[in-house]
Amino acid sequence: MKRFALALAVVAALFAAACVSTPKAPASAELVVLHFNDYHGQLAADANGQGGIAAMAGYVASVRKANKNVLLLNAGDINTGSMVSDKNNALPDIEIFNQMSVDVMTVGNHEFDKAPEVMAAQIAASDFPWISANIRKGGAPAFLHYVVKTVGGLKVGIFGLTTSDTPVKAHPLKVAEYDFTDEIEAARETVRILRELEQVNVVIGLFHTGLGEGSGPTPSDKIAAAVPGIDLIVDGHSHTDMAEPVMSGGTPIVMAAYNARKVGKAVIAFADGKASLKSWEAVPMNLKDKDGKLIGAAVTPDAGTEALVKKYADEIKAAYAVQVATTSAAFDIGDRLVRKQETPLGNLVADSMIWKVRAMGIKADFAVTNGGGIRKSIPAGVVTRMNAYEVLPFGNTLAYFEMTGAKVMELFANVGKISPGNGGWANMSSDVRYTVDLSDKAVKDLTIGGKPVDMNKTYIVVTNDFLAVGGDGVYPVFGALKFKDTFLDMLEGFIEYMKQLPQPLTPATDGRAKLVP
């Protein structure tokens, strides 16, 4: 603990030049904190005009016009979600973040989706600091732990935390050089530095740890309960669509959905030497209800941002607006249903994996992929290469294991223990039939190829390279085995599979994975 505290004190001294101090705080003041999280490259609004960075930019500009004291915080995960963003390494997004005057961003697990040189280019392009107090590299802090901003005479300390299971949530090989330390310990020491050494008036935790379903191992409410002295936690990671702040240990926690669909607006009141949350709302970016009626007030998108997004989108569409299939209805994953249950899209992806490997002459028995790797729905009507990419944006390859019947049983024991909502949730090819008993956390009634598992047989099990190297951390059986990487592109196999199916594709499930409460 002493060594950790000393290291943080050194960091504080090194970056003191970036911290602006004031001799005395005002007797009373208000601070508006705008925030967004899990943006995932959503430059453009959807087909119904919902979301998009232009609406975000327009809303932020309107709040700045009406208020003097405004901070704009990004709670992480800017990468991976749209082809336009991904193919440009999120540099267009960062260009617009700069124009919006983002003050600071915490590092999300998806910041590690890219190669190290891409992350370095993203940081260099950012006019705002990237922060996290619990990531180290080569024994030294990998990022700034915190920043201090003076707004309206208030000295505001903002510190970052990143979910400590990033080494399995990101591709393990891309995170191998980093160490992720305990979130609570890092928070406790950083808050002490901000309060005692920096003597800030307001402490804001800018986290990417999550809350409830989809959170990391140390969710923000657990951190808040263990660490006093935080006035507001702005969180991300779990994509939680909050109606009101969650209170824990006297600290309000807020999050604003995901994919540029909402922007959070917190108003902090400072009086008598103390900061408190006066109000909070998650403002919808032109979202509509099931009847097409606008939810909340209309938000006017920023025209300059719209033009810039169109410029980048047109360049990508020219190359990727190639039809690969048609559908009779959308293959809709809703609120990340591929992490919770059998879905038509999860089935389609898993079936494409086994089809592609068998087409190459490998006599595979079944395929399994993780719901967290399936990122977007397929629309009704024409399906383009861009749509397919946005389903599978990670550039994974197909790999396979040779497993004894006993190891296959162990694999399905792993499957039974995965909680709904976890990114590792199993999506299986049609060769498999089974029931997950959620209360017992066990798989029952398992058949492969219509037969019970043969303990004397060797099975060939197809997966993706991310799971094969230990990604998501919920399939420990893979860690004890060697795999073979086919180097077949998972996305290309998916596209080829859709092309050869009778058109239009019709979304359906077949009962391969049943759930019992």
Side-chain angles (χ1 to χ4, degrees):
M1 178 69 80
K2 289 181 179 179
R3 290 177 64 189
F4 186 77
L6 178 60
L8 284 176
V10 170
V11 171
L14 287 173
F15 298 110
C19 303
V20 183
S21 61
T22 53
K24 187 177 181 181
S28 63
E30 282 192 354
L31 173 67
V32 176
V33 180
L34 300 178
H35 61 93
F36 62 98
N37 55 278
D38 302 283
Y39 160 80
H40 289 301
Q42 299 304 308
L43 285 162
D46 68 14
N48 295 315
Q50 302 179 114
I53 199 169
M56 290 173 57
Y59 175 71
V60 169
S62 70
V63 173
R64 290 191 190 278
K65 187 175 181 179
N67 299 272
K68 291 191 301 182
N69 304 329
V70 179
L71 286 171
L72 177 57
L73 310 183
N74 180 346
D77 273 8
I78 65 172
N79 289 315
T80 313
S82 78
M83 177 172 274
V84 177
S85 175
D86 292 352
K87 291 297 183 182
N88 288 286
N89 289 326
L91 294 177
D93 314 69
I94 291 171
E95 179 181 352
I96 297 169
F97 293 158
N98 291 340
Q99 294 173 0
M100 292 168 65
S101 298
V102 167
D103 287 285
V104 60
M105 175 182 127
T106 205
V107 178
N109 55 291
H110 283 285
E111 272 55 87
F112 297 92
D113 289 346
K114 304 290 186 180
E117 59 270 22
V118 174
M119 182 192 282
Q122 291 176 336
I123 293 172
S126 302
D127 291 343
F128 48 88
W130 294 31
I131 63 172
S132 182
N134 69 314
I135 306 178
R136 299 179 69 77
K137 183 178 181 181
F143 302 93
L144 289 174
H145 288 188
Y146 66 86
V147 295
V148 176
K149 309 278 290 188
T150 300
V151 185
L154 289 177
K155 197 173 178 183
V156 184
I158 307 161
F159 74 100
L161 290 178
T162 306
T163 181
S164 59
D165 63 351
T166 295
V168 294
K169 291 302 180 186
H171 197 298
L173 299 182
K174 293 181 180 178
V175 195
E177 294 184 353
Y178 296 90
D179 294 313
F180 291 75
T181 62
D182 180 76
E183 295 96 330
I184 290 175
E185 182 179 344
R188 187 176 287 123
E189 289 298 323
T190 309
V191 169
R192 184 187 66 79
I193 287 171
L194 289 171
R195 290 293 186 187
E196 296 178 9
L197 300 183
E198 297 288 1
Q199 297 187 345
V200 300
N201 309 117
V202 180
V203 172
I204 298 174
L206 186 58
F207 295 177
H208 195 86
T209 58
L211 183 72
E213 183 180 283
S215 67
T218 312
S220 53
D221 56 341
K222 185 175 180 180
I223 299 169
V227 183
I230 306 173
D231 297 306
L232 175 68
I233 291 175
V234 172
D235 200 9
H237 187 52
S238 55
H239 296 200
T240 308
D241 191 359
M242 291 184 175
E244 59 186 18
V246 171
M247 299 298 297
S248 178
T251 298
I253 303 167
V254 296
M255 196 183 309
Y258 59 98
N259 283 8
R261 294 174 62 81
K262 292 186 177 182
V263 174
K265 180 186 178 185
V267 178
I268 294 176
F270 182 81
D272 300 321
K274 294 183 179 180
S276 61
L277 183 64
K278 180 179 179 181
S279 65
W280 178 81
E281 60 179 325
V283 180
M285 298 293 104
N286 296 322
L287 302 185
K288 299 175 177 69
D289 64 19
K290 63 181 180 179
D291 298 319
K293 184 179 178 181
L294 193 68
I295 300 171
V299 176
T300 302
D302 178 75
T305 302
E306 277 190 319
L308 190 57
V309 170
K310 184 177 185 301
K311 168 184 173 291
Y312 285 111
D314 286 348
E315 293 172 358
I316 294 295
K317 285 178 181 177
Y320 292 96
V322 179
Q323 180 175 324
V324 298
T326 59
T327 62
S328 61
F331 283 68
D332 188 9
I333 63 172
D335 182 18
R336 303 198 287 182
L337 294 176
V338 285
R339 302 179 183 218
K340 304 172 185 178
Q341 63 189 52
E342 181 190 352
T343 65
L345 186 53
N347 288 356
L348 190 68
V349 170
D351 288 345
S352 75
M353 295 166 67
I354 197 77
W355 174 85
K356 181 62 178 177
V357 170
R358 285 173 177 165
M360 300 304 293
I362 300 169
K363 296 180 179 180
D365 292 282
F366 65 94
V368 56
T369 194
N370 54 317
I374 302 171
R375 305 300 293 188
K376 224 168 189 180
S377 304
I378 289 178
V382 173
V383 180
T384 65
R385 176 172 281 273
M386 181 179 290
N387 296 137
Y389 174 88
E390 290 180 347
V391 174
L392 300 173
F394 292 109
N396 292 119
T397 58
L398 297 174
Y400 67 90
F401 290 89
E402 294 182 359
M403 305 177 71
T404 64
K407 287 297 181 183
V408 168
M409 293 300 292
E410 189 176 335
L411 168 62
F412 280 90
N414 295 166
V415 169
K417 290 181 172 63
I418 302 171
S419 298
N422 188 295
W425 183 264
N427 290 254
M428 295 280 179
S429 64
S430 62
D431 315 274
V432 180
R433 294 288 186 275
Y434 62 100
T435 298
V436 178
D437 188 320
L438 296 174
S439 59
D440 288 346
K441 291 189 174 295
V443 164
K444 301 176 180 179
D445 305 323
L446 172 63
T447 62
I448 298 172
K451 299 177 181 179
V453 175
D454 183 349
M455 304 303 284
N456 297 314
K457 178 179 175 178
T458 297
Y459 290 83
I460 294 179
V461 181
V462 179
T463 188
N464 61 65
D465 66 312
F466 171 74
L467 289 185
V469 297
D472 275 330
V474 292
Y475 298 98
V477 64
F478 288 157
L481 302 170
K482 291 184 178 180
F483 67 92
K484 295 179 182 178
D485 195 329
T486 68
F487 299 103
L488 295 171
D489 188 295
M490 187 172 171
L491 170 62
E492 292 303 320
F494 180 55
I495 291 171
E496 292 169 18
Y497 178 66
M498 287 194 290
K499 281 183 175 180
Q500 59 86 44
L501 289 172
Q503 306 291 316
L505 310 181
T506 298
T509 56
D510 56 20
R512 66 187 67 176
K514 297 177 182 178
L515 302 181
V516 175

